[in-house]
Amino acid sequence: MKYVLLVHGGAGAINRKMISSKGEEVYLNGLQSALRKGGKILEKGGSALDTVEKAVIDLENNPIFNAGKGSVLTHDGEVELDASIMNGKDRQAGAVCGLRNITNPISVARCVLQESEHVLLSAKGALRFANAMGFEQVTDGYFFTEERKTQLEKALKTDRVFLDHDSDEKYGTVGAVALDLEGNLAAATSTGGLTNKKWGRVGDSPLIGAGTWADNRSCAVSCTGYGEAFIRCLSAYEVGARILLGGSSLEKAGDAAIHQSIEELGATGGLIAVDRLGNYHLPFNSGGMFRGVLVKGREPEVHIF
Ligand code: ASP
């Protein structure tokens, strides 16, 4: 029996100069840490669902990534969080969008999956649900970093909305997919979205089928990139559908979703995907994608370019 855990910390026009201020090490260590946390669960025979939640919590707590602490700021200088999680065994799913003041939105999404009769809760309602479930509410200050403020100021000057990695500071949306020892798949994605987003904008990350998908019959997928394009392509589901309905291999399905569908819309991004046999693929068409791979019995691998 084999287990696999893949994580990502976002995709974008990343180049070495852009990440030199912090050093590549900082990002690679962040990915390694998430692999370790999730890997411990898989090693003990834990579920893929627990694993992806744990890995994403670790990435949300790390301020270098655009999720949880350190999320990018909206046009109004606020933090609005999107997250989703899906279990491949029964296709149960939970998600939140526009959630504020909760440190780990992925755990609220997990609670939506487990404790509510719904799939997606938004903004104030999502916060009320989180409160009712006993999640601690933190102040806005918890999320803010100086870099995010500078990033927003720059975006406001040019009136641009941008993907985290296409700005000067390189952090990113986070995600994880896993295959556990029982052969079950799961996927999770969490993000602060796009810098300078307005009007309650919601990206692909909290949308099941767009940013996140898990189905034991095909694969588990977490996406990152220009959310609007991933919504229009239903990218995460597209990978699964190409396998389940089209008989495609995981690699061909992942490549088609990024290099055909997303590219046809002139957008950039990437995804991480694993299937039930433990095949995995991490395609992207951007300058880089922060990513890590852990396979039972092998050394973990982390890459940016
Ligand atoms: N896909 C995310 C969004 O559009 C952004 C990202 O992946 O960095 O909200």
Side-chain angles (χ1 to χ4, degrees), residues 163 173 191 193-194 201 203-205 224-227:
L163 191 62
T173 286
T191 189
L194 302 184
R201 180 264 185 191
D204 60 313
S205 308
T224 171
Y226 277 101

Side-chain angles (χ1 to χ4, degrees), residues 8-12 66 82 162-165 171-174 189-194 197 201-206 211 223-231 268-270:
H8 72 74
N66 172 21
D82 294 343
F162 50 58
L163 191 62
D164 190 22
H165 309 298
Y171 325 108
T173 286
V174 306
T189 312
S190 180
T191 189
L194 302 184
K197 62 183 183 180
R201 180 264 185 191
V202 174
D204 60 313
S205 308
C223 300
T224 171
Y226 277 101
E228 280 66 8
F230 284 79
I231 293 171
T268 57

